[in-house]
Amino acid sequence: MFGNLKEYLVKELQELESQNLYKHERIIESPQSAEIIVKGKKVLNFCANNYLGLSSHPELIKAAHDAIDKRGFGLSSVRFICGTQDIHKELEEKIAKFLGMEDAILFCSCFDANGALFEPLFSEEDAILTDALNHASIIDGIRLSKAQRWIYNHSDMRDVEETDPTTGKKVKGLERCLKEAKERGSRFMVIATDSVFSMDGDIAKLDEICDLAEKYGALVMLDESHSSGFMGKHGRGVHELYNVMDRVDIITTTFGKALGGASGGCIAAHKPIVDWMRNKARPYLFSNTLPPAVVGATIKCLDILTKSTELRDKLEANTKRFRSEMNAAGFDIIPSEHPITPIMFRKYENCSELAVKFADRMLEEGIYVTAFSYPVVPRGKDRIRVQISASHSDEHLTKAISAFIKIGKELKMI
Ligand SMILES: *Cc1c(COP(=O)(O)O)cnc(C)c1O
């Protein structure tokens, strides 16, 4: 039976390989940290979502051990049958409070949270307005609902429709989409956006989005996966950074990045929305509960972040230093205040090969970074995406910046 499919897959896989699109995984032989072991060699990691350095933090590891000792390994159940422990309720209260929302509901990942969110809330009479560069899980979640969909040009707030010069396709700004959705007589409207877009590290124009939402009577849904724990004065997220904490209706986020780095996620929102999710969200009703170890460690993570802003302050200082020294060295960096720092190769010929070669040379120098090329990023927008962490010491940063400068000169980029 497998014959035809096998032939097809082998050919397609070879095609991927020949186009340099096959995803090869590098194997790490140590815990996730600023320093990791790859092929027996110690290297500095500059491409993890370990923004606050909590993935292997001793207090989180201890909390995970404690939770296993006191609440066991697993629950063998979904939440509503016999999968809810006291610690699950405690985490829901703590994450809702941290994010400044009324209530929260846990999922095994933020992918699940986004997959769960739209289908129970929005149907044919409703409109979802979504940024063209939103995360795959938001796109999939929206596909599962029967609502009408408007995709607006990335971070384009305007009341316009125009032709994109690079693709030749017609694109619309958010306000134009809102007008169309309103004219259609939509019952509910919701604007859905990432808080931070992972390829460029650019931040959603959340203040303008909230203004437009108010003007047209739409809800605001924000995925804070790349900002929970460190953006804003207390690390609550981009809604804190923009001072619009009371104007966002729904937040989804992951515990798999800054907030510990293991897995899990949540929807935090007005209480009736969360109650509705508990009754209707399919990945919640038909999938296992979060394991106690993850719950215990994530509670500890929130306790640490509520007590002190030391880690997010360190991350901010590291990000400022890295960005300013790399700019001064002459590298082409997309401006942002986010720890995602894309070093662009668009000014150079053969930018794809150059980016890959650069990343390989960096590894030889003991710095682990990854090159991103088409189709992960648009053609000609090849880059090395550096992610800064609070766990990087001053020496780590010095070593990485020196290596960038050394190889940048070697490859005649600077
Ligand atoms: C990483 C990410 C997710 C997925 O989070 P998981 O918990 O790993 O499933 C969802 N949304 C955005 C914006 C992300 O960056």
Side-chain angles (χ1 to χ4, degrees), residues 118-119 121-127 145-148 187:
F118 298 94
E119 185 262 338
L121 289 174
F122 306 109
S123 62
E124 289 94 337
E125 312 123 278
D126 307 314
S145 93
K146 295 199 172 67
Q148 300 290 313
R187 180 182 58 162

Side-chain angles (χ1 to χ4, degrees), residues 52-76:
L52 296 174
L54 291 172
S55 331
S56 304
H57 192 283
E59 281 190 60
L60 266 69
I61 292 172
K62 181 170 183 309
H65 279 297
D66 286 350
I68 287 189
D69 289 343
K70 292 185 184 133
R71 293 292 178 275
F73 172 63
L75 270 292
S76 308

